[in-house]
Amino acid sequence: MITARDVAQALGVSVSTVGRALANDSRISSQTRARVHEAASRLGYIENAAARVMGGARSRLIGLMLPDIRNDFYAQIAEAFSTICGLEGYQLVFSISNERDVELRHVRELIGVRAAGIVIVPTSAPRRETASLLRGQPHVQLLRRLPASTSAWFGVNDEGCVREATSFLLSLGHRRIAYIGGPLALSTGQARLAGFRNAFSGKAARGQAIEVLGPPSVEFGREAAHRLMNRKTRPTALMLGSVQGTRGALEALDELGIAVPQDLSVVGFGDASGFGWWRSGLTTLRFPIVDLATSCAVWFLNALKQGGPIAYEGQSTVSARLVERGSTARISA
Amino acid sequence: MITARDVAQALGVSVSTVGRALANDSRISSQTRARVHEAASRLGYIENAAARVMGGARSRLIGLMLPDIRNDFYAQIAEAFSTICGLEGYQLVFSISNERDVELRHVRELIGVRAAGIVIVPTSAPRRETASLLRGQPHVQLLRRLPASTSAWFGVNDEGCVREATSFLLSLGHRRIAYIGGPLALSTGQARLAGFRNAFSGKAARGQAIEVLGPPSVEFGREAAHRLMNRKTRPTALMLGSVQGTRGALEALDELGIAVPQDLSVVGFGDASGFGWWRSGLTTLRFPIVDLATSCAVWFLNALKQGGPIAYEGQSTVSARLVERGSTARISA
DNA sequence: ATGAAAGCGCTAACAA
DNA sequence: TTGTTAGCGCTTTCAT
């Protein structure tokens, strides 16, 4: 492995000159700087990140903690961060943390590699230590937000989006509307449920709201939909409150052979690829996740470069667009 | 930040005792070891990975270089590696390298952080330097394989799978079959095309093979399908040779309003979520990607732990299963 | 504009 | 069984 010392010796200069030249320090003459760069690339010098950190420099690692990478929501986030981090010379340390002990371990490991910052979609109930460790690190929360946390957060307007989508169903004449959403332990679960409820209370339109909450998983969505459609009085419309839950619910509706939208109108959550192919197309909430993640990444890396403590008031939300397709219709008399 | 020295001082022992105790070195008495562990966790000690590496230990970072994370193929791989690496105490440094210069930069950066190993799905034509750098690193190739490379490789039986799927179409009576696949610059593109061709040469069944090759992207798949269906004599069946190309082709068929399987039988590549929802369901090749990635990860981490140079003969393939759904039918007279 | 030298926190060789 | 010590390759004062 070629070190800065090798480059220095090859040029008959000191290591500090090499270090400074490579960092484009203004104190080095442009002549020397050029010679150093040339020699470094000729010799195949690759900077040792560990030594850099040991020397006191900030690491160029950014921790990215997501609950699931096969969920298109999170895949989009990973892609956006990868792009921006690559542009800015940062590397992503990626982990899937869907369980609080795993989450804690990963936060510890990120601190261990002296990550410059951590981007996290928290689990539903992180360990106390996780929160306290995080407090000592530059970090930003994505989508979900810890209740007690005052740190920066980028997410979607969960309440407003679900409220609008539910209002849309109400405006189609539906009164018995079911909602399958995430647990209250998740900030998103809470906000989305609130949106669902607020849609009812807002209008003159009275209606019967049926709520089923549980983990945002395919399996739970499937079970919940089965349960709902086995009630003596079925709902006439179904509002979904999670991407994976939507997948599961669609599976269930297929299994049960429910006619959509004749017997049930359905509004999905998120516009994962394939949702448009379901039956005559799934009406759904489409979120500009890439935009969200990109602005989060740009903001965060910029805050990191400022060096100081990151502004903890940072907070930003985006809203969804309701994509109307064949799974919703005016209620049949 | 609490260091090993702090722990040592708190206990009145030396740093090396702490280091050894934490590494569960057999030379340390179990008494001391317990005390050290207790003190470390009490003080909130977190090992400094940079210092560890500087001291000569191997890093616990594994580079994972994928061309795309929104493609379910790669998302499955990322998930599998994340799981296994987490279990083994490794951290994943993730990057999206779909362009050879980006790829080279990422390999350099991985060497910079002294990654213990690199898992890579190479671009179609990596820079010479990329290959030469890789040669000096423990690494394994996934899915795609560099022509000149003799390193370990885990992939799918591309030739066989496409051959079988094509044979299936032939057995349904189709004779004019089109294939949309990846470029020859990709080892996978080459193997899959070979499979397509071999299906024809194998049987008595003569047929007209129409081949369209290009980047494995949604856009190309879409264009290629449009082009194919605008020919004066349309094919009666379509075989896809990439996941993203499949997506694009399905879009095109929707845009053109082609009746499937009445006017065209279609076999997709990969069983991405949603493929089953397309029309009456897409007949497709389903690959056990999670199995592939998991065995690759287990093998690789194990090879790394052996310490020595990894066995460069390692090579392993899995085969797809043809999932028959509504998009394929016996040719109509 | 450049050099010399002191760490950073750990590992490992060598002592005891 | 434990302690001492010499690096690892950088960054960063402090000299020059």
Side-chain angles (χ1 to χ4, degrees), chain A residues 28-91:
Chain A
I28 301 298
S29 72
S30 49
Q31 296 230 3
T32 317
R33 207 185 305 178
R35 285 178 56 220
V36 170
H37 272 101
E38 185 279 328
S41 97
R42 179 167 43 76
L43 297 175
Y45 169 74
I46 295 180
E47 181 191 56
N48 183 327
R52 240 188 106 252
V53 170
M54 285 301 289
R58 310 209 47 174
S59 100
R60 292 198 177 119
L61 299 174
I62 299 287
L64 179 64
M65 304 177 61
L66 303 175
D68 178 9
I69 190 63
R70 297 187 56 186
N71 179 328
D72 194 53
F73 252 55
Y74 302 121
Q76 287 183 65
I77 289 174
E79 183 179 42
F81 268 90
S82 172
T83 304
I84 305 297
C85 287
L87 251 39
E88 301 283 339
Y90 285 92
Q91 285 166 282

Side-chain angles (χ1 to χ4, degrees), chain B residues 14 16-17 20 27-29 32 54-55:
Chain B
S14 73
S16 29
T17 297
R20 289 195 268 245
R27 288 173 297 183
I28 301 298
S29 72
T32 316
M54 284 301 289

Side-chain angles (χ1 to χ4, degrees), chain A residues 55-130:
Chain A
R58 310 209 47 174
S59 100
R60 292 198 177 119
L61 299 174
I62 299 287
L64 179 64
M65 304 177 61
L66 303 175
D68 178 9
I69 190 63
R70 297 187 56 186
N71 179 328
D72 194 53
F73 252 55
Y74 302 121
Q76 287 183 65
I77 289 174
E79 183 179 42
F81 268 90
S82 172
T83 304
I84 305 297
C85 287
L87 251 39
E88 301 283 339
Y90 285 92
Q91 285 166 282
L92 274 185
V93 179
F94 166 73
S95 73
I96 296 179
S97 317
N98 43 21
E99 203 273 312
R100 59 186 192 164
D101 289 315
V102 172
E103 179 180 52
L104 172 55
R105 185 161 53 75
H106 286 150
V107 169
R108 280 218 194 90
E109 290 172 347
L110 286 175
I111 294 176
V113 297
R114 296 296 183 269
I118 297 179
V119 181
I120 183 173
V121 178
T123 59
S124 53
R127 291 246 175 245
R128 188 165 270 181
E129 190 184 351
T130 304

Side-chain angles (χ1 to χ4, degrees), chain A residues 178 223-238 249 252-253 256 258-260 263-264:
Chain A
E223 283 169 19
H226 267 284
R227 210 181 312 158
L228 280 171
M229 300 314 287
N230 279 336
R231 291 164 59 104
K232 51 261 121 195
T233 55
R234 289 181 168 179
T236 69
L238 175 59
L253 296 180
L256 292 167
I258 309 279
V260 171
D263 294 342
L264 184 77

Side-chain angles (χ1 to χ4, degrees), chain B residues 60-247:
Chain B
R60 292 198 177 119
L61 299 174
I62 299 288
L64 179 64
M65 305 177 61
L66 303 175
D68 178 10
I69 190 63
R70 296 185 56 186
N71 180 327
D72 194 53
F73 251 57
Y74 301 122
Q76 287 182 64
I77 289 173
E79 184 179 42
F81 269 90
S82 173
T83 303
I84 305 298
C85 286
L87 251 39
E88 301 283 338
Y90 285 92
Q91 285 167 282
L92 273 186
V93 179
F94 167 72
S95 73
I96 296 180
S97 317
N98 43 22
E99 203 274 312
R100 59 185 191 165
D101 289 315
V102 171
E103 178 180 54
L104 172 55
R105 185 161 52 76
H106 286 150
V107 169
R108 280 216 193 91
E109 290 171 348
L110 286 174
I111 293 176
V113 297
R114 297 294 183 271
I118 297 178
V119 181
I120 184 174
V121 178
T123 59
S124 52
R127 291 245 174 248
R128 190 166 271 180
E129 190 184 350
T130 304
S132 103
L133 285 176
L134 236 27
R135 215 165 293 129
Q137 298 294 120
H139 72 281
V140 57
Q141 297 180 75
L142 255 185
L143 299 180
R144 302 174 185 167
R145 177 166 37 175
L146 296 184
S149 166
T150 55
S151 59
W153 173 75
F154 283 71
V156 306
N157 174 14
D158 290 296
E159 191 276 334
C161 295
V162 173
R163 176 162 40 78
E164 275 193 38
T166 308
S167 296
F168 168 70
L169 287 170
L170 285 166
S171 77
L172 289 178
H174 293 279
R175 289 298 171 266
R176 202 159 58 250
I177 306 179
Y179 170 77
I180 301 177
L184 292 179
L186 250 27
S187 63
T188 48
Q190 224 162 62
R192 291 170 198 169
L193 178 63
F196 178 67
R197 290 181 175 168
N198 292 342
F200 285 84
S201 57
K203 299 275 171 52
R206 293 279 100 188
Q208 184 195 349
I210 310 167
E211 300 161 359
V212 191
L213 305 184
S217 67
V218 173
E219 202 35 53
F220 178 77
R222 198 173 145 277
E223 283 169 20
H226 268 284
R227 211 181 310 157
L228 280 171
M229 301 313 288
N230 279 336
R231 291 164 59 106
K232 51 261 121 206
T233 54
R234 289 180 165 179
T236 68
L238 175 59
M239 175 74 221
L240 280 318
S242 80
V243 180
Q244 300 297 72
T246 300
R247 280 191 200 294

